Amino acid sequence: MMRTAFLSAAALAAALMAAPAASAQEVDVAFNAGVVSDYVFRGFSQSNEDSAVQGGVDVTAGSFYAGAWASEVDFGDTTDFEVDLYGGYRTEAAGVALDFGVVAYLYTDTPDDTDYDYVELKAGASRAFGPVTVGGVVYWSPDFFGVDEETTYVEGSLAFVPAEKWTLSGALGYQSLDVSDDYTTWNAGVGYALAENLLFDVRYYDTDVDVPIAEDRVVAGVKILF
């Protein structure tokens, strides 16, 4: 299991919705950097329950986007970094925001006998109702991380903005695997904008998997946008 930013998908979607959309003629480049007390992806710690430094770049041109994101990881072997490359298309229909994309998850300094790198296709939708945003997303991979091959991950999310600078959000996801056992994961937390470009998030994660790196935990993170 791999990647997540410290903000949940719902919280990040709420933040993005507050920004003006780029026209077809505009190309917008944005950078981000941050640190988390534990890098958790789909309920599993990717940093052996230690802190991780993360950062990325996003390029948007009209409805199209592309980007790269990296984080420290610790799988108990020589692997040291995860690098994600992604791209996609965002649009809107009947008030519903749609997002279709592809993500490549790549790992550096992996042992020779491992099969970590993989690609996922993504389809997501969200709808805002005043201060509340409801969303859902599906990820599918033909050849997943490690021993698993065809897999599907489905997640529903909810975000609520009770006041300026504050976001309450949570998500419930189900990971279907063809070799390993399927599992359910969930998270809930609060985000606060310390400044216009400085975000803080505290989040609770848990799964129904009984292994140490997937047990319940609270993760704190700070992220700067520039």
Side-chain angles (χ1 to χ4, degrees), residues 36 51 86 93 97 101 105 113 121 127 140 142 179-180 198 200 213:
V36 290
S51 61
Y86 51 88
Y105 303 81
D113 59 347
L121 301 180
R127 176 70 183 268
W140 176 82
V179 176
S180 306
L198 185 62
F200 177 74
I213 62 170

Side-chain angles (χ1 to χ4, degrees), residues 91-106:
T91 187
E92 184 177 310
V96 178
L98 303 174
D99 184 352
F100 304 98
V102 59
V103 186
Y105 303 81
L106 311 173

